[in-house]
Amino acid sequence: MKKIIHLDSYNQKILAILHLQADLTNVELAGRVNLSPSACFQRVKALKEAGYFRTFHADVNIEAMCEHVFAYVEFTLHDNSAPFKRRFIAAIQEIPEFMDCMQVTGKVDYVSFSCFANIAKLNGACTLLSDREELGIKRIENRIILSREKFFLGYPLAQLKWLDKADITLHDEGKKRAVY
């Protein structure tokens, strides 16, 4: 069982800063949150072990590096029962070009933000999925992105309500965890 770390003001600052600038050195981060480098390192380590950081990665300038097509792909299933959903999600996970996949409300069941080498590759992946009857896909619609006017640069943490000790529950097992 992972230990939950109380998200006090220091931990909130650490999360908010590293969320946008994961390449800071420990000394730079410690200075920005007003902690000693040792205390800051211990807090970051504890936050990692508690699962507050999923990954660290770089936001690369894909436009300068690769030809590509961004698209939102909308999937509507014939059947929304759990077995069909599980098979669909497993199939989407196998194709890295489908970068996000979110279950949504409305007339479609899932929306995926995707990045393919070209439209032919996008269409090929959609055909591959729709040809698999066991996935129960009724319809696929592609929305090609013509231009990106705003980029995701991190969550608006300053505008969100931080969870307090009483609000924290385990999402993977549905059990409450002890708060330290």
Side-chain angles (χ1 to χ4, degrees):
M1 170 169 25
K2 288 185 180 180
K3 179 169 82 169
I4 290 188
I5 305 301
H6 178 62
L7 296 179
D8 63 14
S9 63
Y10 288 110
N11 286 337
Q12 289 177 10
K13 286 179 189 176
I14 289 169
L15 288 163
I17 290 169
L18 286 181
H19 169 250
L20 297 174
Q21 285 185 282
D23 64 339
L24 288 177
T25 66
N26 183 58
V27 172
E28 291 170 325
L29 178 62
R32 291 192 45 194
V33 297
N34 200 26
L35 286 171
S36 70
S38 175
C40 185
F41 177 80
Q42 290 301 318
R43 283 177 176 264
V44 170
K45 182 179 175 189
L47 288 165
K48 285 179 186 177
E49 290 171 356
Y52 286 103
F53 292 106
R54 288 190 187 138
T55 65
F56 286 92
H57 64 276
D59 182 14
V60 298
N61 183 358
I62 194 168
E63 285 76 18
M65 301 178 339
C66 305
E67 292 183 15
H68 64 283
V69 172
F70 285 129
Y72 282 100
V73 182
E74 299 175 349
F75 299 92
T76 305
L77 304 181
H78 286 290
D79 185 338
N80 275 303
S81 65
F84 280 98
K85 287 180 180 180
R86 280 194 296 275
R87 287 191 295 266
F88 171 77
I89 291 166
I92 285 291
Q93 303 246 355
E94 294 172 6
I95 304 171
E97 291 89 347
F98 291 114
M99 300 182 304
D100 270 352
C101 189
M102 299 149 285
Q103 186 176 20
V104 296
T105 61
K107 295 182 182 196
V108 299
D109 297 310
Y110 292 91
V111 175
S112 175
F113 180 63
S114 63
C115 181
F116 284 85
N118 53 47
I119 291 175
K121 297 280 186 186
L122 169 61
N123 285 335
C126 291
T127 299
L128 179 75
L129 290 173
S130 63
D131 284 348
R132 293 180 57 189
E133 289 182 27
E134 74 275 12
L135 301 180
I137 297 173
K138 179 179 180 180
R139 188 178 68 223
I140 299 175
E141 286 191 41
N142 295 319
R143 304 204 183 277
I144 305 298
I145 297 172
L146 301 176
S147 66
R148 288 178 73 187
E149 308 306 331
K150 183 176 180 181
F151 290 81
F152 174 74
L153 296 175
Y155 297 105
L157 293 177
Q159 285 74 36
L160 301 177
K161 179 185 179 284
W162 291 85
L163 297 176
D164 65 22
K165 292 183 224 179
D167 296 331
I168 299 173
T169 58
L170 225 183
H171 294 288
D172 52 344
E173 294 177 23
K175 299 176 188 171
K176 288 204 176 237
R177 293 189 276 181
V179 178
Y180 299 92

